[in-house]
């Protein structure tokens, strides 16, 4: 296994064991199971019998891409979380499966994220992160004209919103099952504020990757399918031949 | 990253912990951690007992500390959070090392550190004593949906291939003089990620076609 060394492993913080109480952990575990069952059905519509190899390879891609350091300056760097990117590229249900698989592997093989917090992590990053991102994407695409050029800004905005949305959901869970008395108002402000900064980075990276894939293989971008089918064949006879 | 940084998640061995069925180990880990998480945060004798059980298990399984300790660094972000906790939490205050801190915050920070550390060490012990393919079989026996097990199997099987591909792209970039030091380089890195996605996706399609041409049944024998 490609085990990222700790120095390059400054990835998003996964909730460990003991951060939320046992009953909240069990409840989010149940939510995660229900969400995964729905995602398995939905992914079959997106990928039919190719689901297992395709989702597996995309999960490996997300895992590897999270290791790319995007330099911010002053020796620090950020990295991609990838939920909205995966949703735009392969569809929301497959993205939920991919992110959940990545979280499962990180938890079981690298102890990144506690096993009792696995449901919490899948709920936050898989269900809320991808779900909110996909809803925002649909909303923006409903407003913008259905063209390939609309996909990149829609994906970037969706990524921008999805990160603080997951942070807000975490604050909500903490209000129910948090183990330390932290004033919730300031926790929410700190979480959403900091994750908006992370979301800005996520938005830029997601936009860059989506636009680069659109430039060479627009047919692989799930979020661009409606724009592609609406596109008609265009004849561009060269001026020299006409003359 | 890349081959130099590829580290094992598994320590081969023939101890009783290694030989125990994977699904039982998974259930034991989940049950053990649920008990640890549900333990009241000031029950220090109970935590000492859990730690003793875990240490005994690590000794029996002969997991070297040189394997365990570097991998335990994944919990560092939470150590930082735990250190801040006594200062941001509310409630009655107390004096600790000459600083005035929140008493419930201090207790919660200690409990978080203890529980998260036990969790990381226990999960790493499971990973060290169970090969990934056994883990997958165990998850299947625990009724994780067949498709989910398959997705995870494909991910584990191909993650090194994809990571190596990324590593080769990085060598190529750097041999052309690329140095990632500021935000201006994000475009190049974004295009690298997009190329990696296209290659991964196309590899997935080739794998699927190769499987189908060898008579693979996507339903896994179920109709």
């Amino acid at each position: 296994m490609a085990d990222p060394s700790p120095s390059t492993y400054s990835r998003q913080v996964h909730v460990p064991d003991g951060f939320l109480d046992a009953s909240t952990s069990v409840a989010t575990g149940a939510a995660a199971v229900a969400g995964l069952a729905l995602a398995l059905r939905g992914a079959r519509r997106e990928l039919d019998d190719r689901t297992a190899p395709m989702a597996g390879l995309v999960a490996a891609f997300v895992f590897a891409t999270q290791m790319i350091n995007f330099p911010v300056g002053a020796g620090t760097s950020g990295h991609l979380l990838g939920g909205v990117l995966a949703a735009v590229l392969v569809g929301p249900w497959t993205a939920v499966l991919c992110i959940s698989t990545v979280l499962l592997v990180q938890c079981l093989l690298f102890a990144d994220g506690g096993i009792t917090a696995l449901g919490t992590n899948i709920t936050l990053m898989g269900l809320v992160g991808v779900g909110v991102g996909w809803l925002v994407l649909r909303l923006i695409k409903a407003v913008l004209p259905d063209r390939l050029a609309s996909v990149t800004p829609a994906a970037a905005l969706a990524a921008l919103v999805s990160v603080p949305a997951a942070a807000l959901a975490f604050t909500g869970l903490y209000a129910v099952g948090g183990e330390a008395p932290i004033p919730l108002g300031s926790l929410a402000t700190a979480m959403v504020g900091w994750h908006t900064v992370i979301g800005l980075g996520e938005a830029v990276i997601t936009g860059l990757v989506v636009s680069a894939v659109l430039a060479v293989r627009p047919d692989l971008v799930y979020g661009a399918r409606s724009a592609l089918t609406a596109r008609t064949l265009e004849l561009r006879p060269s001026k020299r031949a006409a003359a | 990253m890349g081959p130099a940084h590829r580290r094992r998640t598994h320590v081969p061995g023939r101890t009783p912990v290694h030989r125990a069925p994977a699904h039982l180990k998974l259930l034991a880990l989940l049950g053990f951690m649920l008990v640890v998480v549900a333990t009241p945060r000031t029950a220090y004798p109970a935590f000492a007992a859990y730690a003793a059980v875990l240490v005994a298990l690590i000794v029996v399984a002969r997991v070297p500390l040189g394997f365990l300790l570097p991998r335990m660094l994944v919990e560092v972000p939470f150590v930082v959070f735990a250190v801040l906790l006594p200062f941001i939490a509310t409630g009655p205050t107390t004096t600790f090392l000459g600083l005035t801190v929140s008493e419930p915050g201090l207790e919660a920070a200690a409990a978080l550190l203890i529980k998260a550390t036990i969790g990381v060490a226990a999960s790493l012990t499971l990973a060290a004593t169970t090969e990934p393919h056994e883990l997958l079989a165990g998850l299947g026996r625990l009724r994780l949906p067949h498709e989910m097990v398959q997705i995870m199997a494909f991910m584990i099987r191909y993650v090194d291939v994809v990571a190596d591909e990324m590593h080769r792209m990085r060598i190529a970039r750097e041999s052309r003089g690329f140095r990632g030091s500021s935000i201006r380089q994000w475009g190049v890195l974004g295009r690298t990620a997009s190329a990696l996605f296209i290659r991964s996706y196309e590899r997935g399609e080739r794998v699927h076609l190769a499987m189908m041409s060898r008579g693979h049944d996507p339903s896994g024998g179920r109709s």
Side-chain angles (χ1 to χ4, degrees), chain B:
Chain B
M1 270 184 280
H5 288 261
R6 186 185 296 172
R7 287 189 290 162
R8 296 164 303 143
T9 58
H10 177 246
V11 180
R14 303 191 55 77
T15 70
V17 186
H18 282 83
R19 285 195 307 243
H23 61 287
L24 291 186
K25 283 191 268 188
L26 276 165
L27 279 182
L29 174 66
L30 184 62
F32 176 68
M33 284 320 299
L34 275 174
V35 170
V36 170
V37 169
T39 304
R41 62 185 184 214
T42 50
Y44 298 115
F47 290 129
Y50 302 147
V53 169
L54 190 56
V55 168
L57 211 63
I58 292 170
V59 170
V60 170
R62 299 208 190 110
V63 182
L65 283 182
F67 175 90
L68 220 49
L69 293 179
R71 286 163 178 78
M72 289 185 70
L73 289 175
V74 285
E75 67 162 335
V76 163
F78 275 90
V79 175
V80 174
F81 181 81
V83 169
L84 290 176
L85 207 47
F87 299 99
I88 52 178
T90 53
T93 56
T94 182
T95 316
F96 180 70
L97 299 177
L99 295 165
T100 308
V101 294
S102 152
E103 197 174 350
L106 192 64
E107 282 172 5
L112 173 64
L113 276 182
I114 294 169
K115 289 178 180 179
T117 306
I118 292 177
V120 169
S123 299
L124 284 173
T125 307
L126 172 83
T129 57
T130 319
E131 281 195 60
H133 72 91
E134 288 173 341
L135 210 57
L136 288 167
L139 286 169
R141 283 196 290 275
L142 292 175
R143 307 249 180 258
L144 185 74
H146 175 73
E147 238 166 348
M148 204 59 204
V149 176
Q150 274 205 309
I151 294 173
M152 200 173 153
F154 277 108
M155 176 188 163
I156 290 176
R157 198 176 301 163
Y158 284 98
V159 76
D160 282 339
V161 176
V162 174
D164 282 353
E165 195 135 44
M166 190 172 80
H167 184 65
R168 287 195 296 278
M169 289 168 154
R170 180 175 148 183
I171 291 175
R173 269 198 320 267
E174 287 179 0
S175 62
R176 294 185 188 101
F178 175 85
R179 251 187 94 243
S181 56
S182 87
I183 223 158
R184 285 193 300 273
Q185 274 94 45
W186 282 27
V188 173
L189 295 169
R191 280 191 292 280
T192 305
S194 92
L196 192 68
F197 167 73
I198 293 168
R199 291 182 189 184
S200 306
Y201 194 96
E202 288 174 345
R203 187 183 297 279
E205 287 180 323
R206 288 198 301 278
V207 168
H208 173 249
L209 284 179
M211 284 162 57
M212 296 307 279
S213 62
R214 288 173 178 80
H216 170 76
D217 177 9
S219 66
R222 303 160 306 147
S223 52

